[in-house]
């Protein structure tokens, strides 16, 4: 646990008692703060009360008298589409609002670091797609070289649940826009921006607000090194804002769509080959085509970002290349479940938006595509080109018929996962790939994309066992 510093003796309110909220409450108490909590879910309040936390509703600005700070869980809106009522009361009362990410950066460094030979460092990864795989890959590479490291944030453990850093340790954080938008402290040593595509637009009041939330990780913290995906306008703009000129190697530009040139530091992947250029000269090259855990151009982008981050930490190209080959990938992200009678079954349930689904479709050929769910704002534009390898779509979700009508390929309305998997398996021929890449959220039928992916796995196993 990371005890929260700077709030000892103060009274701090925590709103939302899921994983991050309860973790924050514990860390605040460990740091000497008086903690009061609230969650609209009675079961969550009972769990907090069982750990000795007082629960108060904070329904008026007057209820915040004497409160030093309000800590808000990521899923609770603080501004758009409109502030949560308790957040609004805190703001009216003039109480600072923060989250567990802000508390982490406020508290990570300790007096014990004075005896360390190598200062601990934080690598923070954000972006629309690929941030989980990129974060996990960086962590895997660091483990491969036996460097002390921990993985936390939007993936794995809560940021305040990790152990205090030891000499030379690297903490890798995956940070969502919900987390970067509110944190009062954002000071990573290395910050990574993978890419940007439309997502969470209601929460951020459009693409401008969404990009602004991501940009805070770089603008607020001033990282020593910034790894920026420059295949979108926003990434190129961000790289330009952070750089003092073309030769400024504090910014490492990353691409899988264009050849990068110039005197700076660039990492790009084209036709399956990763290349690193510095000062106009190529210094390393890696063949990614046979790396099993990183299939497709979207994973090659993740590999470039992770490679750049690890190079900024001083790791050698050959060491990183070796680690790539032992990376197994993450569940629900281009995850091969089985190969049966010449048909490959791939679970990419994490492809919850059009852009991530398009990248999954581009990674394979002869696709039997299982898609559908809770459609996100912006519709399904952008799937026509990537769907060229789709032989047929099998659509799930409560609004499967309406979803199917928007697809640029032959589509069969299945409704549920069991029917979709069975029909895709019946139609599949040797060499086909049955791919779950929903291009939609899961919440119309499942509690999470993980539950959706687990159902896909279960249905595949049932079909294969017949």
């Amino acid at each position: 646990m990371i005890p929260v510093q700077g709030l000892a003796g103060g009274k701090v309110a925590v709103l939302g008692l899921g994983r991050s909220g309860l973790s924050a409450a514990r860390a605040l108490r460990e740091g000497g703060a008086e903690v009061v909590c609230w969650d609209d879910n009675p079961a969550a309040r009972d769990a907090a009360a069982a750990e000795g936390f007082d629960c108060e509703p904070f329904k008026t600005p007057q209820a915040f008298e004497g409160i030093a700070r309000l800590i808000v869980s990521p899923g609770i809106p603080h501004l758009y589409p409109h502030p949560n009522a308790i957040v609004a009361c805190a703001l009216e009362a003039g109480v600072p609002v923060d989250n567990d990410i802000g508390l982490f950066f406020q508290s990570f460094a300790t007096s014990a670091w004075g005896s360390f030979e190598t200062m601990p460092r934080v690598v923070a990864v954000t972006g629309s797609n690929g941030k989980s795989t990129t974060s996990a890959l960086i962590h895997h590479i660091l483990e491969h070289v036996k460097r002390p490291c921990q993985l936390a944030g939007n993936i794995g453990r809560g940021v305040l649940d990790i152990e205090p850093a030891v000499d030379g340790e690297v903490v890798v954080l995956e940070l969502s826009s919900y987390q970067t938008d509110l944190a009062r402290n954002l000071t990573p040593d290395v910050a990574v921006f993978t890419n940007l595509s439309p997502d969470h637009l209601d929460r951020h009041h459009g693409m401008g607000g969404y990009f602004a939330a991501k940009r805070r990780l770089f603008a607020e913290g001033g990282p020593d090194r910034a790894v920026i995906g420059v295949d979108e306008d926003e990434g190129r703009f961000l790289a330009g804002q952070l750089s003092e000129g073309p030769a400024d190697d504090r910014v490492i530009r990353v691409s899988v769509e264009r050849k990068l040139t110039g005197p700076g530091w660039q990492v790009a992947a084209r036709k399956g080959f990763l290349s690193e250029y510095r000062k106009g000269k190529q210094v390393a090259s890696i063949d990614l085509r046979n790396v099993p855990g990183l299939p497709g151009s979207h994973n090659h982008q993740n590999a470039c970002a992770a490679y750049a981050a690890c190079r900024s930490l001083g790791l050698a190209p050959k060491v990183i290349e070796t680690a790539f080959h032992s990376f197994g990938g993450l569940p629900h992200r281009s995850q091969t479940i089985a190969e049966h009678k010449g048909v490959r079954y791939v679970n990419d349930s994490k492809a919850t938006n059009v852009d991530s689904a398009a990248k999954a479709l581009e990674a394979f050929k002869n696709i039997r595509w299982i898609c559908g769910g809770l459609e996100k704002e912006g519709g399904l534009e952008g799937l026509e080109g990537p769907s060229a390898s789709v032989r047929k779509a099998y659509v799930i979700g409560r609004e499967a018929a309406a979803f199917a009508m928007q697809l640029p390929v032959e589509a069969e309305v299945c409704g549920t996962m069991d029917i979709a998997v069975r029909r895709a398996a019946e139609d599949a021929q040797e060499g086909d790939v049955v791919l779950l890449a929903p291009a939609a959220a899961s919440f119309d039928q499942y509690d999470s994309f993980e539950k959706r992916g687990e159902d896909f796995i279960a249905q595949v196993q049932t079909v294969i066992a017949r």
Side-chain angles (χ1 to χ4, degrees), residues 40-52:
D40 290 339
N41 184 344
R45 297 199 300 270
D46 290 344
E51 294 193 29

Side-chain angles (χ1 to χ4, degrees), residues 367-454:
I367 299 169
R368 303 286 173 177
W369 179 25
I370 299 176
C371 58
L374 189 62
E375 187 178 334
K376 292 190 174 181
E377 186 177 342
L380 301 180
E381 292 183 13
L383 289 172
E384 185 167 354
S387 63
S389 295
V390 174
R391 291 190 166 187
K392 186 176 177 182
Y394 305 81
V395 187
I396 63 173
R398 286 205 304 251
E399 304 296 331
F403 196 98
M405 289 179 65
Q406 300 180 65
L407 296 176
V409 297
E410 179 188 354
E412 179 178 335
V413 175
C414 298
T416 58
M417 187 70 75
D418 59 332
I419 296 173
V421 172
R422 176 171 55 81
R423 289 292 300 120
E426 289 171 351
D427 290 346
Q429 303 171 14
E430 186 174 348
D432 284 358
V433 174
V434 175
L435 170 67
L436 171 65
S442 60
F443 303 120
D444 59 335
Q445 291 182 313
Y446 302 94
D447 291 339
S448 65
F449 74 83
E450 291 96 341
K451 293 295 183 184
R452 178 171 58 191
E454 289 165 6

Side-chain angles (χ1 to χ4, degrees), residues 43 53 61 64 93 118 129 148 173 177 182 189 204 208 217 223 232 245 285 345 364 379 403 407 410 441:
F53 293 108
F64 279 92
T118 304
N129 300 311
L173 301 181
S177 59
L182 187 59
D189 299 284
H204 297 294
L217 181 63
E232 294 87 29
S285 178
Y345 294 84
F364 304 99
F403 196 98
L407 296 176
E410 179 188 354

Side-chain angles (χ1 to χ4, degrees), residues 228-231 253-260 267-269 304:
I228 310 292
V230 295
D231 286 335
R253 290 169 170 83
V254 166
S255 176
V256 292
E257 294 183 0
R258 64 191 66 223
K259 183 178 180 179
L260 299 179
V267 179
C304 286

Side-chain angles (χ1 to χ4, degrees), residues 178-209:
Y178 291 4
Q179 293 170 313
T180 58
D181 197 18
L182 187 59
R184 292 173 64 86
N185 293 281
L186 285 167
T187 53
D189 299 284
V190 179
V192 179
F193 178 87
T194 58
N195 51 59
L196 197 79
S197 61
D199 209 356
H200 311 303
L201 299 188
D202 57 338
R203 176 67 179 265
H204 297 294
H205 206 57
M207 278 293 288

Side-chain angles (χ1 to χ4, degrees), residues 149-160:
C149 57
Q150 298 183 73
L151 178 64
N154 203 46
I155 184 174
R157 303 163 70 186
V159 292
L160 294 169

